[in-house]
Amino acid sequence: MRIAWLPGDGVGFEVTQGPVQLLRSPLLADLVEVTGPWPVGATGFHQTGELRPPETFEACREADAILLGAVGEDPAVDKAACPRPELSLVGLRREFDLRVSVREVLSPSDGQVTTVVRNLLGGAYTGEEDHEESDGVSTEAADRIVLTPPQVAEVAEIAFDLTGTAPSRRVISVDKWSLYATSRLWRDVVTRVADERGVGIDHVLVDRAAYELASTRPLPQMVITEGLFGDILSDLICGRAGSPALCGSASIRPSGGSGVSALYEPAHGSAPARTGHDVANPTGSFLALAMLLDTDDATKHVADAVRRALLEEIATGEVTYDLAADGTQPVGTREFAERVVATTERLASVAS
Ligand code: IPM
Ligand code: MN
């Protein structure tokens, strides 16, 4: 497996260092090759004048997967010179047809994972041609949302592949059926696929889903939903879990095409104010790494070890600022990551 490492902006470099160290360790070095760091995002623009420099694009074409840190604001880059660095991520997804998002949020309190599967191309995530800008005074702005039945079916199939026919907890499909034609299509298609698979699901309107996910009810095992709803709800689930850094994110191309077929990243942003201070929580990057290692039988046992190592290390209470209890001294990114790497190595060598 060849992995292109794109640290990107802000804390992206710091939070991916631990996962890259693990990928390059004796545990995985025979199975995985890491190339990079390759420039992307605001810092890529700063260095090369392009959001996705050609060398980075070439590296992604030659790799199986991308490990990305973050794209967004970076303290070293003038905001006015590069106003929308996020477009580099949208562009990478589009370029390699990474059309489905799978996110795993880990709740340290009970060790359970909530998975969110959504479409990343089509729906609310449209091309530039589907956005009509207003002049801000007199002309209208418009965004076109288009979904096809196969796009919805693919997302549902992937979600049910992950839960199997007997999910251990609730599976919900989220839409705004009462308002949108795309949501009515969504509900019809997801119902059909669930019936074919024999999986019991609940349909929940997005506002109600937001309430339920934010309440004290147990979190569902799986949330299946449209792109923008999933973007919002996955952050909300992170809020329940305790930190935006508790989410690993995969953007995947389930079939066909060429070049990288998946991009793995923590779901959080570039956190410019925390950049360079060795404070950010690298858990999301490790969870993204676990999702990557899940895709190959030869590395699956390491994925399990990573998740168990994260839970073990978080349970010590010696954690980064976002998870540290009041009155305790937080540990830095590097120290926490080193402990996760060491514990993963211990757990994985017992497993193999
Ligand atoms: C995410 C981000 C992206 C998205 C942005 C940066 C385009 O919020 O990955 O959750 O909306 O998908
Ligand atoms: Mn988001």
Side-chain angles (χ1 to χ4, degrees), residues 128-196:
E128 285 304 302
E129 67 284 4
D130 293 307
H131 301 292
E132 195 184 306
E133 302 291 338
S134 164
D135 64 7
V137 182
S138 60
T139 63
E140 65 184 21
D143 304 286
R144 228 166 83 85
I145 302 179
V146 182
L147 270 179
T148 65
Q151 278 172 334
V152 182
E154 183 172 61
V155 172
E157 302 274 4
I158 289 167
F160 297 139
D161 283 348
L162 292 167
T163 59
T165 48
S168 57
R169 280 143 51 221
R170 204 163 165 236
V171 174
I172 63 172
S173 171
V174 174
D175 60 45
K176 191 69 180 177
W177 171 84
S178 46
L179 212 49
Y180 288 115
T182 44
S183 278
R184 289 188 282 278
L185 171 68
W186 186 274
R187 197 172 277 217
D188 285 351
V189 173
V190 173
T191 302
R192 196 188 69 226
V193 178
D195 286 349
E196 281 166 11

Side-chain angles (χ1 to χ4, degrees), residues 71-72 85-87 89-90 93 101 103 118-120 125 227-228 230-232 234-235 249 251 265-269:
V71 292
E86 293 79 9
L87 288 181
L89 175 57
V90 176
R93 290 173 180 165
S101 162
R103 289 194 159 167
R118 61 177 172 132
N119 57 298
L120 275 181
Y125 287 75
L228 183 59
D231 181 37
I232 298 165
S234 59
D235 276 18
S249 179
S251 307
E265 56 174 331
H268 60 69

